Amino acid sequence: MRIALDPQMLRTTPLLELPDVVAGMGYEWIELSPREDFIPFFKHPRVDTATVRAFKSRLADAGVGVTSLLPVMRWSGPGEVERQAAVRYWKRAIEICVELGVDTMNSEFNGRPEAPELAEAMFWRSMEELLPVFEREGVKLAMEPHPDDFIELGLPALDMIRGIDSPCVSFLYCLPHTFHQGDDAPGIIANAGELLTHVHVADSMDHRASDGLRYITNPPGNTTRVHQHMEIGRGDVDFDEAFAALAGIGFDGVLTTCVFGWDDQARESGIRMLDAIRRLVGKHFSGDAVSGAGAAGTSRPNFPQTPLPDDTAP
């Protein structure tokens, strides 16, 4: 099992300096999410081949690997122009992935939830073009349902992945999306079984609490999706039951720290999360599932596993 860092809170760190910073935080792996100087959200990649090769060299020097790249493109529409552009952007992103020597890409279904049939039709059209490229290049794809995508729930996402029916396509479970994808981490994880290859680890509040009044958005009845990516212990996700479920299926994939929103605590937060994840693995998995895993700990919702500075509390 590998523990990676999503360096979103380090996005202003120059790309070629990122490996040393991540190594200094104790991580051996990065999941490279969208960056304006690499592969931005919804746009053509900005990085050139020379920079990709330089980045690969810096990674080797720092002893840091890349578990996956995470492009997010409008490959499910809402319009055909956007879809065609997304396919072009994806093809270039796959080239970058291969040049970097990375064998996995993660992404979201995207598309509009108010028009799911149209979005699904566009998604399949895109997959018809892209799946042969993934398979030819030997690049795996892990898919996650996301709030405000045309697929938001965990079990329907798994059904869609099974419908793709390709050994290179698997499932990614995002813990901070728990309350948007069915609030049943153990059930979804068990249903996924060997299809589950990647887990995003962060906490989130249950937006449905207090009769839906935990968060008030106006006008009433709007379709805004609210969630956070917080440190373990700051929200309502039950990490004990989730990690017990992961152990139950023999999970041996990637666990990515993906805390957002506290840029001023980026390095400290990443270090605390690495310790908290190691403790959860040590508690629920037998043996040395992760090299250097910490001692067993507790993980009750809203109970911090590592000290949290008072001045950064949400």
Side-chain angles (χ1 to χ4, degrees), residues 193-227:
E194 293 183 354
L195 274 180
L196 178 57
T197 58
H198 204 121
V199 177
H200 285 168
V201 185
D203 213 338
S204 187
M205 295 287 190
D206 185 350
H207 63 283
R208 308 160 306 167
S210 297
D211 197 28
L213 294 178
R214 169 161 286 174
Y215 300 101
I216 298 173
T217 60
N218 291 308
N222 70 68
T223 58
T224 298
R225 275 70 162 172
V226 178
H227 74 283

Side-chain angles (χ1 to χ4, degrees), residues 122-142:
M122 290 194 170
F123 174 76
W124 282 113
R125 182 178 293 178
S126 296
M127 288 301 290
E128 287 170 2
E129 296 183 58
L130 290 172
L131 191 57
V133 181
F134 282 110
E135 293 176 341
R136 182 181 71 242
E137 298 295 343
V139 175
K140 299 186 287 290
L141 175 66

Side-chain angles (χ1 to χ4, degrees), residues 13-20 35 37 51-52 54-56 58:
T13 300
L15 181 68
L16 298 184
E17 296 177 15
L18 191 60
D20 285 334
R35 286 176 56 110
D37 60 354
T51 304
V52 172
F55 182 54
K56 184 177 181 180
R58 294 292 184 91

Side-chain angles (χ1 to χ4, degrees), residues 239-294:
F239 288 91
D240 268 329
E241 72 171 15
F243 273 74
L246 291 171
I249 64 168
F251 178 77
D252 191 28
V254 178
L255 302 168
T256 296
T257 295
C258 57
V259 174
F260 309 148
W262 283 268
D263 291 0
D264 60 328
Q265 287 284 312
R267 299 190 192 195
E268 298 86 348
S269 174
I271 293 169
R272 291 191 294 265
M273 283 290 292
L274 180 59
D275 179 65
I277 293 171
R278 283 174 170 169
R279 288 177 179 273
L280 282 162
V281 171
K283 179 177 182 179
H284 293 285
F285 287 76
S286 59
D288 295 327
V290 174
S291 177

Side-chain angles (χ1 to χ4, degrees), residues 140-151:
K140 299 186 287 290
L141 175 66
M143 295 290 299
E144 65 165 303
H146 195 282
D148 205 46
D149 280 5
F150 84 90
I151 296 181

Side-chain angles (χ1 to χ4, degrees), residues 17-312:
E17 296 177 15
L18 191 60
D20 285 334
V21 173
V22 171
M25 295 165 61
Y27 287 86
E28 298 178 357
W29 299 96
I30 298 175
E31 177 184 354
L32 203 55
S33 57
R35 286 176 56 110
E36 285 300 314
D37 60 354
F38 196 76
I39 304 176
F41 281 104
F42 309 126
K43 298 176 184 177
H44 191 280
R46 298 313 200 228
V47 68
D48 60 10
T49 301
T51 304
V52 172
R53 291 173 179 171
F55 182 54
K56 184 177 181 180
S57 177
R58 294 292 184 91
L59 287 163
D61 291 344
V64 173
V66 177
T67 60
S68 49
L69 305 186
L70 200 166
V72 180
M73 306 294 180
R74 300 196 190 281
W75 57 351
S76 300
E80 178 62 12
V81 171
E82 296 98 312
R83 189 202 69 79
Q84 290 183 17
V87 169
R88 292 195 298 272
Y89 304 163
W90 260 108
K91 288 179 179 178
R92 174 56 183 150
I94 294 169
E95 291 177 356
I96 292 168
C97 190
V98 172
E99 180 68 39
L100 198 56
V102 177
D103 67 358
T104 301
M105 303 179 85
N106 302 335
S107 196
E108 304 163 3
F109 287 96
N110 215 255
R112 298 303 311 142
E114 64 271 13
E117 292 182 5
L118 175 61
E120 178 172 340
M122 290 194 170
F123 174 76
W124 282 113
R125 182 178 293 178
S126 296
M127 288 301 290
E128 287 170 2
E129 296 183 58
L130 290 172
L131 191 57
V133 181
F134 282 110
E135 293 176 341
R136 182 181 71 242
E137 298 295 343
V139 175
K140 299 186 287 290
L141 175 66
M143 295 290 299
E144 65 165 303
H146 195 282
D148 205 46
D149 280 5
F150 84 90
I151 296 181
E152 300 181 271
L153 297 174
L155 294 179
L158 281 164
D159 289 341
M160 177 67 82
I161 290 167
R162 290 188 172 103
I164 295 171
D165 198 21
S166 169
C168 78
V169 183
S170 61
F171 179 64
L172 185 157
Y173 187 85
C174 187
L175 281 161
H177 299 166
T178 288
F179 305 111
H180 285 281
Q181 61 173 305
D183 192 15
D184 183 17
I188 295 170
I189 289 168
N191 185 287
E194 293 183 354
L195 274 180
L196 178 57
T197 58
H198 204 121
V199 177
H200 285 168
V201 185
D203 213 338
S204 187
M205 295 287 190
D206 185 350
H207 63 283
R208 308 160 306 167
S210 297
D211 197 28
L213 294 178
R214 169 161 286 174
Y215 300 101
I216 298 173
T217 60
N218 291 308
N222 70 68
T223 58
T224 298
R225 275 70 162 172
V226 178
H227 74 283
Q228 307 86 17
H229 285 242
M230 304 186 296
E231 289 184 41
I232 290 171
R234 292 190 175 194
D236 298 318
V237 175
D238 190 328
F239 288 91
D240 268 329
E241 72 171 15
F243 273 74
L246 291 171
I249 64 168
F251 178 77
D252 191 28
V254 178
L255 302 168
T256 296
T257 295
C258 57
V259 174
F260 309 148
W262 283 268
D263 291 0
D264 60 328
Q265 287 284 312
R267 299 190 192 195
E268 298 86 348
S269 174
I271 293 169
R272 291 191 294 265
M273 283 290 292
L274 180 59
D275 179 65
I277 293 171
R278 283 174 170 169
R279 288 177 179 273
L280 282 162
V281 171
K283 179 177 182 179
H284 293 285
F285 287 76
S286 59
D288 295 327
V290 174
S291 177
T298 60
S299 64
R300 298 195 306 274
N302 296 310
F303 188 85
Q305 299 315 295
T306 50
L308 301 177
D310 293 338
D311 61 352
T312 64

